[in-house]
């Protein structure tokens, strides 16, 4: 690869709203590269600390025109997206997207593609792999055949704060001191720390032009999932776990079990579980010849767990597995006009004067959800979360990335932050399973008399007869749920405002 020494590499990052992409961008910037991000909704990037240092363009990897425009002037293109969870045809979508990406990179004269795939088990025919791993392998082959020198990094389990694999490990170990587990806990795997994944991704930007191949990447430890849980318990200071594997739990039942115990929904847990059915251990470490290990070596499992736990405890988790939009989640824009012409639009509007400053009220609003709850009937919210989990949705267990601060694109239980205007407006879009589209708006304002006013608005756009039936079926509970919510949020703000006075 010959790039003038007087200019940085120009890198295109797809998946920048996701877990790894959102962490790769600042690493590329720190290495001195220029970064362009391709995103379906560029606005989701605006609140990231690095947003002002990158170029964000709108597009989709399945759309030739937007990919062609995004590739213009690019040296290195990172492919960090997949269609997993978009439906039974996700393999077709992945195939089409990879072809579009490779063809447009070749046409634009891109010098290098870097793709992060999954580590496949040795000796297992491709048709016997899970659809998830099979599709990852196919995407790698398509990119390698694109005519653009490609580095395909293949990883098994990635350990880092906020990763789906780490969250699964963490919650299973912490919540179950004794457990009957599927037999795959005895399968050997080779986990890798997220900081090593990022180091290798950045290093691949400088690979020689003639390198066009796959690389297995993993950490220094090879162990079973059972041993990983025991190691986690030891690092976290927990009592020794009692683990009894049984052969009766299928991948589907295992994923449902994981979905009930951990924040990772069954739809995402299943490919993780299926990838653990076979031994996934690196067959080679050739990447070290191009991107050398750091002086202290790659990060071992115990240290990776300690680093991840420290990030969680310090509320310093940059991205989470839920950072990317949930597959099949609604993407239509919010209808802002009450007389919206797009069809029926139901609204539940409430307003309350609050004896507290707007700042005190906003602190309560921005900290809603997760461990803080929803300031309304806990039973009703929990029941709705369980119903969503049973229907294959995300449920309430996703929680929050940060206990006190939100940014556009953050997941928040079964909502996602669609808009936030600090001190004034928080708009959430529902990602629960619904026969329609739903939003929840919370606004902090002042009335003409200068008093603090809290406004709350729930909107629902029904899809078909089922949507209308759903709204009218739950409408009788709105007074308890939304009415209780506005009262309790106001009370929490007033209580916080009174606290300094009581302590003086």
């Amino acid at each position: 690869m010959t790039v003038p020494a007087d200019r940085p590499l120009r890198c295109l990052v797809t998946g920048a709203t996701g877990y790894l992409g959102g962490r790769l961008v600042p690493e590329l910037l720190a290495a001195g590269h220029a970064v362009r991000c391709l995103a379906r909704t560029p606005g989701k990037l605006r609140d990231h600390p690095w947003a002002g240092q990158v170029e964000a363009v709108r597009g989709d990897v399945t759309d030739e025109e937007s990919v062609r425009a995004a590739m213009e002037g690019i040296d290195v293109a990172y492919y960090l997206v997949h269609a997993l969870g978009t439906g039974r045809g996700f393999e077709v979508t992945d195939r089409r997207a990879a072809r579009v990406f490779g063809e447009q990179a070749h046409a634009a004269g891109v010098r290098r593609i870097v793709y992060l795939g999954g580590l496949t088990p040795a000796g297992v025919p491709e048709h016997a792999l899970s659809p998830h791993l099979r599709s990852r392998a196919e995407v790698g082959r398509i990119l390698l055949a694109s005519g653009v020198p490609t580095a395909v990094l293949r990883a098994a389990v990635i350990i880092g704060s906020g990763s789906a694999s780490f969250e699964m490990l963490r919650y299973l170990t912490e919540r179950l001191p004794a457990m009957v587990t599927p037999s795959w806990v005895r399968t050997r795997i080779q986990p890798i720390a997220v900081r090593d994944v990022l180091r290798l991704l950045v290093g691949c930007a400088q690979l020689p032009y003639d390198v066009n191949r796959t690389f297995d990447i993993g950490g220094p430890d090879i162990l079973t999932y059972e041993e990983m849980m025991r190691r986690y318990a030891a690092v976290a200071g927990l009592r020794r776990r009692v683990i009894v594997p049984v052969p009766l739990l299928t991948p589907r039942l295992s994923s449902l079990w994981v979905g009930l115990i951990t924040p990772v929904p069954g739809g995402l847990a299943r490919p993780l579980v299926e990838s653990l059915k076979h031994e996934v251990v690196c067959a080679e470490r050739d990447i070290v010849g191009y991107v050398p290990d750091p002086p202290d070596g790659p990060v071992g499992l115990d240290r990776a767990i300690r680093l991840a736990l420290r990030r969680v405890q310090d509320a310093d988790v940059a991205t989470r597995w839920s950072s990317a939009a949930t597959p099949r989640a609604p993407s239509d824009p919010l209808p802002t006009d009450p007389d919206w012409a797009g069809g029926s639009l139901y609204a539940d509007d409430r307003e309350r004067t609050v004896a507290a400053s707007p700042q005190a009220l906003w602190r309560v609003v921005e900290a809603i959800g997760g461990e803080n709850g929803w300031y309304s009937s806990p039973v009703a919210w929990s029941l709705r979360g369980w119903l969503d989990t049973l229907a294959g949705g995300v449920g309430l267990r996703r929680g929050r990335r940060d206990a006190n601060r939100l940014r556009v694109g953050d997941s928040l239980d079964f909502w996602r932050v669609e808009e936030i205007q600090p001190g004034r407006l928080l708009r959430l879009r529902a990602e629960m399973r619904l026969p329609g589209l739903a939003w929840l708006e919370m606004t902090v304002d002042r009335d003409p008399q200068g008093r603090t006013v809290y406004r709350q608005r729930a909107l629902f756009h029904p899809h078909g007869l089922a949507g209308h039936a759903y709204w009218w079926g739950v409408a009788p509970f709105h007074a308890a749920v939304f009415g209780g919510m506005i009262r309790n949020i106001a009370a929490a703000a007033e209580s916080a405002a009174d606290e300094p006075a009581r302590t003086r």
Side-chain angles (χ1 to χ4, degrees), residues 73-150:
I74 290 297
D75 300 307
V76 183
Y78 285 89
Y79 192 80
L80 303 176
V81 295
H82 58 80
L84 177 67
T86 57
R88 293 183 178 179
F90 82 90
E91 291 179 86
V92 175
T93 303
D94 270 339
R95 186 180 306 124
R96 184 174 73 250
R99 285 175 177 161
V100 167
F101 196 82
E103 289 168 359
Q104 296 307 316
H106 186 264
V110 171
R111 295 180 171 90
R112 162 78 47 201
I113 292 174
V114 183
Y115 166 59
L116 180 65
L119 185 59
T120 54
V124 178
E126 193 165 295
H127 66 80
L129 297 176
S130 68
H132 162 64
L133 280 179
R134 190 167 59 238
S135 180
R136 289 292 186 93
E138 182 183 23
V139 166
R141 287 198 306 274
I142 291 171
L143 296 176
L144 286 167
S146 66
V148 178
T150 297

Side-chain angles (χ1 to χ4, degrees), residues 9-31:
L9 289 176
R10 293 175 297 212
C11 300
L12 174 68
V13 177
T14 61
T17 58
Y19 175 73
L20 275 171
R23 297 188 180 207
L24 176 62
V25 170
E27 296 294 327
L28 290 170
L29 291 171

Side-chain angles (χ1 to χ4, degrees), residues 42-51 401 406-410 417-422:
K44 289 182 179 179
L45 302 174
R46 77 175 196 207
D47 294 332
H48 285 266
W50 41 260
R401 178 189 58 83
L406 293 173
R407 65 189 183 203
V408 170
D410 271 358
V417 179
E418 182 176 86
E419 179 59 59
I420 184 167
Q421 297 173 15

Side-chain angles (χ1 to χ4, degrees), residues 125-344:
E126 193 165 295
H127 66 80
L129 297 176
S130 68
H132 162 64
L133 280 179
R134 190 167 59 238
S135 180
R136 289 292 186 93
E138 182 183 23
V139 166
R141 287 198 306 274
I142 291 171
L143 296 176
L144 286 167
S146 66
V148 178
T150 297
V152 175
L153 305 186
R154 307 194 312 166
V157 171
I158 297 176
I159 300 296
S161 61
S163 76
S165 296
F166 176 72
E167 293 288 276
M168 193 169 103
L169 173 67
R170 173 189 170 202
Y171 280 89
L172 285 177
T173 309
E174 289 186 353
R175 291 182 173 177
L176 299 174
M179 63 190 99
V180 176
T181 60
S183 58
W184 49 257
V185 299
R186 294 280 172 86
T187 302
R188 291 202 317 159
I189 51 181
Q190 189 167 356
I192 182 170
V194 67
R195 61 175 54 196
D196 280 327
V197 175
L198 295 171
R199 177 178 58 81
L200 293 170
L201 286 170
V202 173
C204 281
Q206 302 279 12
L207 288 177
Y209 185 78
D210 60 351
V211 174
N212 185 62
R213 55 164 293 184
T214 64
F215 293 97
D216 292 353
I217 61 172
D221 299 292
I222 299 174
L223 66 177
T224 67
Y225 202 87
E226 178 182 354
E227 290 170 329
M228 285 179 61
M229 288 191 283
R230 296 194 189 283
R231 295 268 285 270
Y232 179 95
V235 172
L238 305 174
R239 291 182 179 179
R240 181 176 174 83
R241 271 28 196 167
V242 178
I243 302 170
V244 182
V246 297
L248 303 177
L249 294 176
T250 65
R252 175 172 173 76
L253 290 175
S254 295
S255 63
L256 292 175
W257 171 67
V258 171
L260 289 173
I261 302 299
T262 81
V264 182
L268 179 56
R270 185 164 184 175
L272 295 176
V273 167
E274 287 178 331
S275 67
L276 297 172
K277 288 193 305 182
H278 305 288
E279 181 174 287
V280 278
V281 174
C282 296
E284 44 82 12
R285 292 194 70 236
D286 296 350
I287 189 67
V288 177
Y290 300 97
V291 186
D293 286 337
D296 55 350
V299 178
L301 178 64
D302 290 356
R303 183 178 172 219
I305 292 172
R306 279 195 297 270
L307 290 169
L309 284 175
R310 188 182 308 156
R311 291 278 189 179
V312 171
Q313 292 161 0
D314 293 345
D316 188 25
V317 180
T319 59
R320 298 180 68 220
W321 59 269
S322 57
S323 295
T326 300
R328 295 188 297 272
S331 58
D332 295 353
L334 171 72
T336 56
D337 189 335
D339 299 321
W340 180 56
S344 300

